[in-house]
Amino acid sequence: MTPVCGLDRIDRESGVTALVEGHAVAIFRTYDDQVFALSNFDPFGRAGVLARGIVGTRGDVSFVASPLHKQAFDLRTGQCLDDPTVSVASYEVEVRDGQVLVGGRRR
Amino acid sequence: MTDQEQPHRRQQLVVVGHGMVGHRLVEAAIERGLTETHDITVLGAEARPAYDRVALTSFFEVGAKALNLLPRGRYDDPRVSLRTGVEVVAVSPRQRIVTLNTGEDMHYDELVLATGSYPFVPPVPGKDLDNVFVYRTIEDLEAIRKAARKARSGAVIGGGLLGLEAANALSQLGLETHVVELAPRLMAVQVDAAGGRTLSRHIEALGLSVHTGAMTEAILGPDRAGRVTGLALKDRKALDVDIVVFSAGIRPQDALGRAAELVVAERGGILVDERCRTSEEHIYAIGECAAPGGVMYGLVAPGYAMAEVVVDTLLGGEGTFEGADMSTKLKLLGVDVASFGDAHGTTEGALELTYADDVAGVYKKLVIAEDPEDGTRRLLGGVLVGDASAYGVLRPMAASGLPLPDNPEDLILPAGGGGGVALALPADAQVCSCNNVTKGEIEAAVDAGCETAADVTRQTRAGATCGSCKTQVKKIVEDHFAAQGRTVDRSLCEHFPLTRAELFDVVLIHGHRTFDQIVEAHGTGRGCDICRPTVASILASQLNGHVLARENRTLQDTNDAYLANLQRNGTYSVVPRIPGGEITPEKLIVIGEVARDFGLYTKITGGQRIDLLGARTEQLPAIWRRLVDAGFESGHAYGKALRTVKSCVGSTWCRYGVQDSVGLAIMLELRYRGLRSPHKLKGGVSGCARECAEARGKDFGVIATEKGWNLYVGGNGGAVPAHAQLLAGDLATEDLVRYLDRFLMYYIRTADRLQRTSTWIDQLDGGLDRVREVVVDDVLGLGTELEAAMAQHVDCYVDEWTATLEDPDKLARFVSFVNAPDLPDPAISFDTARDQIVPAPAAVDLGASIPVGAGR
Ligand SMILES: Cc1cc2nc3c(=O)[nH]c(=O)nc-3n(C[C@H](O)[C@H](O)[C@H](O)COP(=O)(O)OP(=O)(O)OC[C@H]3O[C@@H](n4cnc5c(N)ncnc54)[C@H](O)[C@@H]3O)c2cc1C
């Protein structure tokens, strides 16, 4: 796993972009300090922007809304909540000793 | 080409007659933008501007002021000039000139005759004696009132609609009053014999004497002072009266047209086609002086429709006048009288269904046709006296020729009438007769997304002309909602069961400062892309804190979060503020140098500033360092906030300018810069009536006048453009600023999320009038509070970019990658077009799953 930054670099309910093995990965931290990692690439707007989206909840699901056209993606899975046929990749991620580590792309 | 360059290109529209219909024409012309291309001159023979002639009788109670249709004595649109007390004495169609009684000649490109009608006075001996009057103008009523002071009794000759109005007036003035009518009944045009009898009884019960079937032979007199002494009637005893009022019908005022050899209808009135055009191409006639298809209409609504048609024609529209419904509903001497459709049952085979209650003084008649084949019955028309409450339902039924229910008597029996029946109106029933809108069209507008009756009116024009069907429209909208089990949900989103305005109040009252406090107290969950930026905006409006302050920065949309506008490829645009569009050469050079050094694309915006595009996140601080050092500050192009106040060059340079528009625009832009609002806000200031700054296309627009400033509000461009409407005129700068402070704060407090000022005004109960009450008249007593809120904004303003550059915590966000802060994102690349950068198409990320054929 690749260490990318300290957890304190990520505001609660927001994201940062990290470069992990040549891929732009969006790392999010929720209100209750869970950390998730998705591909930064927004498949609708076709640009690397997801880390800059607003983080919120729909029911119990934490999501990020693309800053381009507001489609929502489930932080846990990368599934688009507005269009079941679209999803983005999600990554293994964990926090160890206050450091955020990103692993491989989930299947 | 601007007007400034081509002043002679403007068309001259001359309107003769400033009565109800002439006035309506000007209003429609202003509202629909005809004054953008036409200067309008209105010439009225009466000494005063147009007044509500329909309500003339109320003059004795309310006075002339209340009847005035143009209380300020002039139109707010400076391109309209009104001259009262001047009469047009001749029209020369070939030279396109009108001649005034002052001897002046005036050129026109298009001429509209709206000269109305005059009372017909039959050639009875004695008609020229003193104390013989007609009943048409305020001056007539003033004279009648004066004479009544020394009189005991009076007679009205004519028992039609206007005659009864006049009789009402005499009796209100304390005179013993007689009504003399040649026909066997009162209001012979509108009601049948039985209805007329019911009406007579009502009127006699009020103490008036009704003489029907009575022919006036002579007016008796004079007495020693030259006045009337009585009325001689054929085969009846003479009446002893001190005053006589003629109300024996009206005649179209078509003398100008006749003299100019326009074609005149057989029974009088200037003949016009369905475009209201006379036999001369550039002359139109509307209102009571016109006879469309040979018919003269003695009511105001058809005149209004004609006015709209002419404006539409001059705008290149297709509108036509298709004849008018002569239905009437009025209250005469406190008695409801209505008549609609074929009130006299003249249609072949028509049946009548009547209901009469002599004790209550109620008479109702329906005229019905029965289909000989299938037996269905249709309503053709009717008469209602004493209780006209069913008119709202019956008139559209008759107008649309709908089949009647099995028990039509329910429609006029006392227990029936009213509400329940409205539901029974079928979809093709015409609800708005002015604009020909059916119930079905209203419901379709609701289905297509209209949320309120006001939306429906805007969409379909139902209720937009005379307004008499507005309650009906509202009811249909509400019933339609109810029928679908739908209530209008105005919650912001799933997290807050409140509207933005309600949330604004809650935050203000409780003094909340963070999203956590607000969502814990008033919402659920952790918010979303709708409520989080809304809360951010509300907090910014109330507290004026920095948008990137730690506690609230995760609420900001990405534009606010990076103090720049996100573009399609993930880069940002940078827009430094250029107040009023005025900039020094030195500063222009700095912008050029920054753009060159950072390789940015540059473009001039519509708001008179310069957009620098293609900046990467990590470049933004360095770009702004250079700009701030050169004296620039944030232009808030990224915010739902004040954008720009555009200006024309103004009186300093322009030879047409009458005020310093640039100076005012800069002052306003600096005053309101950084003000967060429900949607973006734009302003404009024009230095003269030529309006080169396009101020009326802005949320607030200021146009210079000789005496000060006119303030317009509620304009915008975009997909649904709106012209700003006049809020107040001829203001001193100080008052202008005060009204603007109040207006903007009132909007910020009460508008919905992403609601521009135009829609906000439309949806306020009372619309622009309400805004004026609150902002100008201060009826809510909020004025000082709103001004204080704006003063706080002005005092607390700091430039967001300067503050960001000074704070390492805020700057830490401006990186490409958290673990490689200065490495440009390899996914962003550019091509070149016309010597500048443009975004290159992005490569597809392999991790994403997108169905074939999806995407953009
Ligand atoms: C007492 C009363 C009650 C009424 N009640 C109703 C009602 O209940 N419902 C209804 O629908 N209608 C009613 N009417 C009729 C209604 O008022 C008219 O239909 C309406 O005013 C017609 O408008 P207009 O502009 O065509 O004419 P007007 O309002 O008469 O205006 C014409 C104007 O042109 C001016 N003018 C004429 N010649 C010249 C010239 N050569 N140069 C310059 N100016 C000129 C006149 O001075 C006048 O000011 C009523 C009328 C009266 C008098």
PDB file of all heavy atoms in Angstrom, chain B residues 16-17 19-22 43-46 53-54 86-88 114-116 135-136 162 165 256 287-288 298-300, ligand 1:
ATOM      1  N   VAL B  16     -53.425  58.913 -30.706  1.00  0.00           N
ATOM      2  CA  VAL B  16     -54.379  60.006 -30.503  1.00  0.00           C
ATOM      3  C   VAL B  16     -55.446  59.529 -29.535  1.00  0.00           C
ATOM      4  O   VAL B  16     -56.162  58.572 -29.806  1.00  0.00           O
ATOM      5  CB  VAL B  16     -55.031  60.450 -31.826  1.00  0.00           C
ATOM      6  CG1 VAL B  16     -55.923  61.675 -31.579  1.00  0.00           C
ATOM      7  CG2 VAL B  16     -53.975  60.760 -32.867  1.00  0.00           C
ATOM      8  N   GLY B  17     -55.539  60.209 -28.405  1.00  0.00           N
ATOM      9  CA  GLY B  17     -56.515  59.848 -27.378  1.00  0.00           C
ATOM     10  C   GLY B  17     -55.826  59.132 -26.236  1.00  0.00           C
ATOM     11  O   GLY B  17     -55.176  58.107 -26.430  1.00  0.00           O
ATOM     12  N   GLY B  19     -57.339  57.751 -23.444  1.00  0.00           N
ATOM     13  CA  GLY B  19     -58.391  57.176 -22.614  1.00  0.00           C
ATOM     14  C   GLY B  19     -57.927  55.818 -22.141  1.00  0.00           C
ATOM     15  O   GLY B  19     -56.724  55.518 -22.135  1.00  0.00           O
ATOM     16  N   MET B  20     -58.855  54.992 -21.760  1.00  0.00           N
ATOM     17  CA  MET B  20     -58.488  53.700 -21.184  1.00  0.00           C
ATOM     18  C   MET B  20     -57.724  52.840 -22.189  1.00  0.00           C
ATOM     19  O   MET B  20     -56.760  52.172 -21.845  1.00  0.00           O
ATOM     20  CB  MET B  20     -59.743  52.954 -20.719  1.00  0.00           C
ATOM     21  CG  MET B  20     -60.467  53.706 -19.615  1.00  0.00           C
ATOM     22  SD  MET B  20     -61.855  52.787 -18.948  1.00  0.00           S
ATOM     23  CE  MET B  20     -60.997  51.602 -17.911  1.00  0.00           C
ATOM     24  N   VAL B  21     -58.169  52.873 -23.433  1.00  0.00           N
ATOM     25  CA  VAL B  21     -57.574  51.980 -24.418  1.00  0.00           C
ATOM     26  C   VAL B  21     -56.228  52.513 -24.917  1.00  0.00           C
ATOM     27  O   VAL B  21     -55.264  51.761 -25.067  1.00  0.00           O
ATOM     28  CB  VAL B  21     -58.573  51.730 -25.569  1.00  0.00           C
ATOM     29  CG1 VAL B  21     -57.931  50.944 -26.689  1.00  0.00           C
ATOM     30  CG2 VAL B  21     -59.797  50.996 -25.030  1.00  0.00           C
ATOM     31  N   GLY B  22     -56.139  53.831 -25.124  1.00  0.00           N
ATOM     32  CA  GLY B  22     -54.858  54.414 -25.511  1.00  0.00           C
ATOM     33  C   GLY B  22     -53.804  54.128 -24.454  1.00  0.00           C
ATOM     34  O   GLY B  22     -52.664  53.773 -24.746  1.00  0.00           O
ATOM     35  N   LEU B  43     -51.217  61.877 -27.470  1.00  0.00           N
ATOM     36  CA  LEU B  43     -51.863  63.189 -27.450  1.00  0.00           C
ATOM     37  C   LEU B  43     -53.282  63.008 -26.947  1.00  0.00           C
ATOM     38  O   LEU B  43     -54.077  62.301 -27.562  1.00  0.00           O
ATOM     39  CB  LEU B  43     -51.881  63.770 -28.869  1.00  0.00           C
ATOM     40  CG  LEU B  43     -50.486  63.840 -29.525  1.00  0.00           C
ATOM     41  CD1 LEU B  43     -50.615  64.043 -31.021  1.00  0.00           C
ATOM     42  CD2 LEU B  43     -49.669  64.952 -28.887  1.00  0.00           C
ATOM     43  N   GLY B  44     -53.592  63.602 -25.817  1.00  0.00           N
ATOM     44  CA  GLY B  44     -54.915  63.425 -25.226  1.00  0.00           C
ATOM     45  C   GLY B  44     -55.641  64.754 -25.120  1.00  0.00           C
ATOM     46  O   GLY B  44     -55.072  65.748 -24.662  1.00  0.00           O
ATOM     47  N   ALA B  45     -56.912  64.770 -25.513  1.00  0.00           N
ATOM     48  CA  ALA B  45     -57.672  66.022 -25.482  1.00  0.00           C
ATOM     49  C   ALA B  45     -58.087  66.389 -24.070  1.00  0.00           C
ATOM     50  O   ALA B  45     -58.214  67.566 -23.739  1.00  0.00           O
ATOM     51  CB  ALA B  45     -58.902  65.910 -26.380  1.00  0.00           C
ATOM     52  N   GLU B  46     -58.287  65.392 -23.215  1.00  0.00           N
ATOM     53  CA  GLU B  46     -58.700  65.718 -21.858  1.00  0.00           C
ATOM     54  C   GLU B  46     -57.522  66.334 -21.110  1.00  0.00           C
ATOM     55  O   GLU B  46     -56.362  66.047 -21.390  1.00  0.00           O
ATOM     56  CB  GLU B  46     -59.209  64.472 -21.128  1.00  0.00           C
ATOM     57  CG  GLU B  46     -60.569  64.021 -21.663  1.00  0.00           C
ATOM     58  CD  GLU B  46     -61.201  62.924 -20.821  1.00  0.00           C
ATOM     59  OE1 GLU B  46     -61.516  63.192 -19.652  1.00  0.00           O
ATOM     60  OE2 GLU B  46     -61.374  61.806 -21.336  1.00  0.00           O
ATOM     61  N   ARG B  53     -62.570  55.054 -16.580  1.00  0.00           N
ATOM     62  CA  ARG B  53     -63.908  55.528 -16.899  1.00  0.00           C
ATOM     63  C   ARG B  53     -64.964  54.531 -16.445  1.00  0.00           C
ATOM     64  O   ARG B  53     -66.080  54.902 -16.083  1.00  0.00           O
ATOM     65  CB  ARG B  53     -64.012  55.774 -18.415  1.00  0.00           C
ATOM     66  CG  ARG B  53     -65.033  56.806 -18.799  1.00  0.00           C
ATOM     67  CD  ARG B  53     -65.098  57.029 -20.301  1.00  0.00           C
ATOM     68  NE  ARG B  53     -63.866  57.499 -20.918  1.00  0.00           N
ATOM     69  CZ  ARG B  53     -63.387  58.740 -20.818  1.00  0.00           C
ATOM     70  NH1 ARG B  53     -64.040  59.634 -20.117  1.00  0.00           N
ATOM     71  NH2 ARG B  53     -62.268  59.082 -21.415  1.00  0.00           N
ATOM     72  N   VAL B  54     -64.613  53.262 -16.462  1.00  0.00           N
ATOM     73  CA  VAL B  54     -65.557  52.223 -16.044  1.00  0.00           C
ATOM     74  C   VAL B  54     -66.027  52.475 -14.605  1.00  0.00           C
ATOM     75  O   VAL B  54     -67.170  52.223 -14.253  1.00  0.00           O
ATOM     76  CB  VAL B  54     -64.888  50.827 -16.168  1.00  0.00           C
ATOM     77  CG1 VAL B  54     -65.721  49.759 -15.499  1.00  0.00           C
ATOM     78  CG2 VAL B  54     -64.648  50.499 -17.632  1.00  0.00           C
ATOM     79  N   VAL B  86     -54.221  68.494 -25.396  1.00  0.00           N
ATOM     80  CA  VAL B  86     -54.046  68.865 -26.808  1.00  0.00           C
ATOM     81  C   VAL B  86     -54.914  67.967 -27.681  1.00  0.00           C
ATOM     82  O   VAL B  86     -54.999  66.764 -27.459  1.00  0.00           O
ATOM     83  CB  VAL B  86     -52.587  68.744 -27.307  1.00  0.00           C
ATOM     84  CG1 VAL B  86     -51.732  69.842 -26.773  1.00  0.00           C
ATOM     85  CG2 VAL B  86     -52.009  67.394 -27.011  1.00  0.00           C
ATOM     86  N   GLU B  87     -55.532  68.567 -28.676  1.00  0.00           N
ATOM     87  CA  GLU B  87     -56.440  67.832 -29.523  1.00  0.00           C
ATOM     88  C   GLU B  87     -55.830  67.728 -30.908  1.00  0.00           C
ATOM     89  O   GLU B  87     -55.237  68.686 -31.397  1.00  0.00           O
ATOM     90  CB  GLU B  87     -57.757  68.609 -29.584  1.00  0.00           C
ATOM     91  CG  GLU B  87     -58.900  67.804 -30.085  1.00  0.00           C
ATOM     92  CD  GLU B  87     -60.164  68.656 -30.178  1.00  0.00           C
ATOM     93  OE1 GLU B  87     -60.327  69.568 -29.344  1.00  0.00           O
ATOM     94  OE2 GLU B  87     -60.947  68.408 -31.105  1.00  0.00           O
ATOM     95  N   VAL B  88     -55.984  66.569 -31.485  1.00  0.00           N
ATOM     96  CA  VAL B  88     -55.564  66.431 -32.879  1.00  0.00           C
ATOM     97  C   VAL B  88     -56.727  66.892 -33.737  1.00  0.00           C
ATOM     98  O   VAL B  88     -57.854  66.422 -33.566  1.00  0.00           O
ATOM     99  CB  VAL B  88     -55.192  64.973 -33.192  1.00  0.00           C
ATOM    100  CG1 VAL B  88     -54.937  64.802 -34.682  1.00  0.00           C
ATOM    101  CG2 VAL B  88     -53.969  64.566 -32.387  1.00  0.00           C
ATOM    102  N   ALA B 114     -57.255  56.337 -30.924  1.00  0.00           N
ATOM    103  CA  ALA B 114     -57.936  55.749 -29.760  1.00  0.00           C
ATOM    104  C   ALA B 114     -58.791  56.839 -29.148  1.00  0.00           C
ATOM    105  O   ALA B 114     -58.638  57.210 -27.995  1.00  0.00           O
ATOM    106  CB  ALA B 114     -56.917  55.207 -28.767  1.00  0.00           C
ATOM    107  N   THR B 115     -59.679  57.386 -29.974  1.00  0.00           N
ATOM    108  CA  THR B 115     -60.411  58.592 -29.578  1.00  0.00           C
ATOM    109  C   THR B 115     -61.728  58.285 -28.870  1.00  0.00           C
ATOM    110  O   THR B 115     -62.455  59.210 -28.497  1.00  0.00           O
ATOM    111  CB  THR B 115     -60.666  59.480 -30.805  1.00  0.00           C
ATOM    112  OG1 THR B 115     -61.219  58.664 -31.851  1.00  0.00           O
ATOM    113  CG2 THR B 115     -59.381  60.097 -31.313  1.00  0.00           C
ATOM    114  N   GLY B 116     -62.051  57.009 -28.707  1.00  0.00           N
ATOM    115  CA  GLY B 116     -63.203  56.661 -27.888  1.00  0.00           C
ATOM    116  C   GLY B 116     -64.535  56.999 -28.531  1.00  0.00           C
ATOM    117  O   GLY B 116     -64.699  56.919 -29.754  1.00  0.00           O
ATOM    118  N   TYR B 135     -72.765  62.206 -19.386  1.00  0.00           N
ATOM    119  CA  TYR B 135     -72.112  61.448 -18.322  1.00  0.00           C
ATOM    120  C   TYR B 135     -70.961  60.664 -18.914  1.00  0.00           C
ATOM    121  O   TYR B 135     -71.084  59.501 -19.259  1.00  0.00           O
ATOM    122  CB  TYR B 135     -73.160  60.504 -17.719  1.00  0.00           C
ATOM    123  CG  TYR B 135     -72.832  59.966 -16.354  1.00  0.00           C
ATOM    124  CD1 TYR B 135     -73.019  60.735 -15.219  1.00  0.00           C
ATOM    125  CD2 TYR B 135     -72.364  58.667 -16.200  1.00  0.00           C
ATOM    126  CE1 TYR B 135     -72.732  60.235 -13.960  1.00  0.00           C
ATOM    127  CE2 TYR B 135     -72.078  58.150 -14.949  1.00  0.00           C
ATOM    128  CZ  TYR B 135     -72.266  58.950 -13.831  1.00  0.00           C
ATOM    129  OH  TYR B 135     -71.999  58.447 -12.593  1.00  0.00           O
ATOM    130  N   ARG B 136     -69.830  61.332 -19.089  1.00  0.00           N
ATOM    131  CA  ARG B 136     -68.734  60.651 -19.768  1.00  0.00           C
ATOM    132  C   ARG B 136     -67.378  60.919 -19.114  1.00  0.00           C
ATOM    133  O   ARG B 136     -66.527  60.058 -19.073  1.00  0.00           O
ATOM    134  CB  ARG B 136     -68.691  61.129 -21.236  1.00  0.00           C
ATOM    135  CG  ARG B 136     -67.593  60.535 -22.088  1.00  0.00           C
ATOM    136  CD  ARG B 136     -67.977  59.182 -22.628  1.00  0.00           C
ATOM    137  NE  ARG B 136     -66.828  58.460 -23.148  1.00  0.00           N
ATOM    138  CZ  ARG B 136     -66.844  57.185 -23.470  1.00  0.00           C
ATOM    139  NH1 ARG B 136     -67.959  56.474 -23.337  1.00  0.00           N
ATOM    140  NH2 ARG B 136     -65.771  56.590 -23.920  1.00  0.00           N
ATOM    141  N   LEU B 162     -75.345  52.690 -18.769  1.00  0.00           N
ATOM    142  CA  LEU B 162     -74.776  53.961 -18.334  1.00  0.00           C
ATOM    143  C   LEU B 162     -75.815  54.845 -17.663  1.00  0.00           C
ATOM    144  O   LEU B 162     -75.517  55.572 -16.718  1.00  0.00           O
ATOM    145  CB  LEU B 162     -74.152  54.704 -19.512  1.00  0.00           C
ATOM    146  CG  LEU B 162     -72.998  54.005 -20.205  1.00  0.00           C
ATOM    147  CD1 LEU B 162     -72.332  54.946 -21.195  1.00  0.00           C
ATOM    148  CD2 LEU B 162     -71.987  53.506 -19.188  1.00  0.00           C
ATOM    149  N   GLU B 165     -76.135  53.934 -14.178  1.00  0.00           N
ATOM    150  CA  GLU B 165     -74.976  54.454 -13.441  1.00  0.00           C
ATOM    151  C   GLU B 165     -75.202  55.923 -13.095  1.00  0.00           C
ATOM    152  O   GLU B 165     -74.926  56.361 -11.976  1.00  0.00           O
ATOM    153  CB  GLU B 165     -73.713  54.354 -14.303  1.00  0.00           C
ATOM    154  CG  GLU B 165     -73.233  52.946 -14.484  1.00  0.00           C
ATOM    155  CD  GLU B 165     -71.872  52.729 -13.851  1.00  0.00           C
ATOM    156  OE1 GLU B 165     -71.307  53.700 -13.326  1.00  0.00           O
ATOM    157  OE2 GLU B 165     -71.418  51.591 -13.878  1.00  0.00           O
ATOM    158  N   LEU B 256     -62.140  62.417 -36.927  1.00  0.00           N
ATOM    159  CA  LEU B 256     -60.804  62.547 -37.522  1.00  0.00           C
ATOM    160  C   LEU B 256     -60.649  61.599 -38.697  1.00  0.00           C
ATOM    161  O   LEU B 256     -60.112  61.953 -39.744  1.00  0.00           O
ATOM    162  CB  LEU B 256     -59.733  62.181 -36.485  1.00  0.00           C
ATOM    163  CG  LEU B 256     -59.222  63.248 -35.536  1.00  0.00           C
ATOM    164  CD1 LEU B 256     -58.152  62.634 -34.651  1.00  0.00           C
ATOM    165  CD2 LEU B 256     -58.679  64.433 -36.311  1.00  0.00           C
ATOM    166  N   GLY B 287     -60.378  50.564 -29.679  1.00  0.00           N
ATOM    167  CA  GLY B 287     -61.295  51.037 -28.650  1.00  0.00           C
ATOM    168  C   GLY B 287     -62.629  51.426 -29.254  1.00  0.00           C
ATOM    169  O   GLY B 287     -63.024  50.939 -30.318  1.00  0.00           O
ATOM    170  N   GLU B 288     -63.305  52.345 -28.605  1.00  0.00           N
ATOM    171  CA  GLU B 288     -64.682  52.638 -28.991  1.00  0.00           C
ATOM    172  C   GLU B 288     -64.794  53.435 -30.286  1.00  0.00           C
ATOM    173  O   GLU B 288     -65.871  53.565 -30.840  1.00  0.00           O
ATOM    174  CB  GLU B 288     -65.396  53.378 -27.856  1.00  0.00           C
ATOM    175  CG  GLU B 288     -65.676  52.459 -26.681  1.00  0.00           C
ATOM    176  CD  GLU B 288     -66.530  53.097 -25.609  1.00  0.00           C
ATOM    177  OE1 GLU B 288     -66.580  54.335 -25.536  1.00  0.00           O
ATOM    178  OE2 GLU B 288     -67.143  52.340 -24.840  1.00  0.00           O
ATOM    179  N   GLY B 298     -68.930  48.698 -27.172  1.00  0.00           N
ATOM    180  CA  GLY B 298     -68.983  49.739 -26.151  1.00  0.00           C
ATOM    181  C   GLY B 298     -68.466  49.288 -24.798  1.00  0.00           C
ATOM    182  O   GLY B 298     -68.917  49.765 -23.773  1.00  0.00           O
ATOM    183  N   LEU B 299     -67.527  48.361 -24.800  1.00  0.00           N
ATOM    184  CA  LEU B 299     -66.972  47.864 -23.540  1.00  0.00           C
ATOM    185  C   LEU B 299     -65.459  47.989 -23.579  1.00  0.00           C
ATOM    186  O   LEU B 299     -64.853  48.061 -24.648  1.00  0.00           O
ATOM    187  CB  LEU B 299     -67.335  46.394 -23.336  1.00  0.00           C
ATOM    188  CG  LEU B 299     -68.813  46.072 -23.132  1.00  0.00           C
ATOM    189  CD1 LEU B 299     -69.025  44.574 -23.133  1.00  0.00           C
ATOM    190  CD2 LEU B 299     -69.324  46.684 -21.838  1.00  0.00           C
ATOM    191  N   VAL B 300     -64.877  47.952 -22.417  1.00  0.00           N
ATOM    192  CA  VAL B 300     -63.450  48.215 -22.365  1.00  0.00           C
ATOM    193  C   VAL B 300     -62.608  46.982 -22.747  1.00  0.00           C
ATOM    194  O   VAL B 300     -61.546  47.115 -23.369  1.00  0.00           O
ATOM    195  CB  VAL B 300     -63.061  48.810 -20.995  1.00  0.00           C
ATOM    196  CG1 VAL B 300     -63.051  47.747 -19.904  1.00  0.00           C
ATOM    197  CG2 VAL B 300     -61.728  49.511 -21.084  1.00  0.00           C
TER     198      VAL B 300
HETATM  199  C1  LIG C   1     -70.169  55.750 -16.626  1.00  0.00           C
HETATM  200  C2  LIG C   1     -69.538  54.701 -17.464  1.00  0.00           C
HETATM  201  C3  LIG C   1     -69.551  53.374 -17.016  1.00  0.00           C
HETATM  202  C4  LIG C   1     -68.984  52.374 -17.793  1.00  0.00           C
HETATM  203  N1  LIG C   1     -69.012  51.097 -17.334  1.00  0.00           N
HETATM  204  C5  LIG C   1     -68.430  50.127 -18.053  1.00  0.00           C
HETATM  205  C6  LIG C   1     -68.409  48.789 -17.586  1.00  0.00           C
HETATM  206  O1  LIG C   1     -68.914  48.470 -16.518  1.00  0.00           O
HETATM  207  N2  LIG C   1     -67.773  47.844 -18.339  1.00  0.00           N
HETATM  208  C7  LIG C   1     -67.179  48.160 -19.545  1.00  0.00           C
HETATM  209  O2  LIG C   1     -66.594  47.283 -20.180  1.00  0.00           O
HETATM  210  N3  LIG C   1     -67.215  49.434 -20.016  1.00  0.00           N
HETATM  211  C8  LIG C   1     -67.827  50.415 -19.317  1.00  0.00           C
HETATM  212  N4  LIG C   1     -67.843  51.689 -19.804  1.00  0.00           N
HETATM  213  C9  LIG C   1     -67.273  51.942 -21.144  1.00  0.00           C
HETATM  214  C10 LIG C   1     -65.766  52.168 -21.069  1.00  0.00           C
HETATM  215  O3  LIG C   1     -65.486  53.241 -20.236  1.00  0.00           O
HETATM  216  C11 LIG C   1     -65.242  52.411 -22.468  1.00  0.00           C
HETATM  217  O4  LIG C   1     -65.433  51.250 -23.223  1.00  0.00           O
HETATM  218  C12 LIG C   1     -63.766  52.774 -22.487  1.00  0.00           C
HETATM  219  O5  LIG C   1     -63.507  53.900 -21.729  1.00  0.00           O
HETATM  220  C13 LIG C   1     -63.341  53.008 -23.942  1.00  0.00           C
HETATM  221  O6  LIG C   1     -62.005  53.409 -23.964  1.00  0.00           O
HETATM  222  P1  LIG C   1     -61.440  54.300 -25.161  1.00  0.00           P
HETATM  223  O7  LIG C   1     -60.011  54.548 -24.832  1.00  0.00           O
HETATM  224  O8  LIG C   1     -61.793  53.655 -26.430  1.00  0.00           O
HETATM  225  O9  LIG C   1     -62.247  55.643 -25.048  1.00  0.00           O
HETATM  226  P2  LIG C   1     -62.173  56.778 -23.961  1.00  0.00           P
HETATM  227  O10 LIG C   1     -61.895  56.201 -22.617  1.00  0.00           O
HETATM  228  O11 LIG C   1     -63.396  57.583 -24.134  1.00  0.00           O
HETATM  229  O12 LIG C   1     -60.936  57.643 -24.377  1.00  0.00           O
HETATM  230  C14 LIG C   1     -60.867  58.385 -25.560  1.00  0.00           C
HETATM  231  C15 LIG C   1     -60.026  59.610 -25.292  1.00  0.00           C
HETATM  232  O13 LIG C   1     -59.657  60.196 -26.512  1.00  0.00           O
HETATM  233  C16 LIG C   1     -59.741  61.594 -26.393  1.00  0.00           C
HETATM  234  N5  LIG C   1     -59.900  62.169 -27.711  1.00  0.00           N
HETATM  235  C17 LIG C   1     -60.950  62.102 -28.529  1.00  0.00           C
HETATM  236  N6  LIG C   1     -60.696  62.765 -29.681  1.00  0.00           N
HETATM  237  C18 LIG C   1     -59.444  63.253 -29.586  1.00  0.00           C
HETATM  238  C19 LIG C   1     -58.621  64.021 -30.445  1.00  0.00           C
HETATM  239  N7  LIG C   1     -59.038  64.421 -31.649  1.00  0.00           N
HETATM  240  N8  LIG C   1     -57.383  64.369 -30.033  1.00  0.00           N
HETATM  241  C20 LIG C   1     -56.938  63.967 -28.810  1.00  0.00           C
HETATM  242  N9  LIG C   1     -57.690  63.246 -27.968  1.00  0.00           N
HETATM  243  C21 LIG C   1     -58.937  62.886 -28.350  1.00  0.00           C
HETATM  244  C22 LIG C   1     -60.940  61.787 -25.505  1.00  0.00           C
HETATM  245  O14 LIG C   1     -60.913  63.053 -24.903  1.00  0.00           O
HETATM  246  C23 LIG C   1     -60.759  60.674 -24.505  1.00  0.00           C
HETATM  247  O15 LIG C   1     -59.983  61.083 -23.430  1.00  0.00           O
HETATM  248  C24 LIG C   1     -68.408  52.701 -19.047  1.00  0.00           C
HETATM  249  C25 LIG C   1     -68.395  54.029 -19.495  1.00  0.00           C
HETATM  250  C26 LIG C   1     -68.966  55.020 -18.716  1.00  0.00           C
HETATM  251  C27 LIG C   1     -68.975  56.447 -19.204  1.00  0.00           C
END
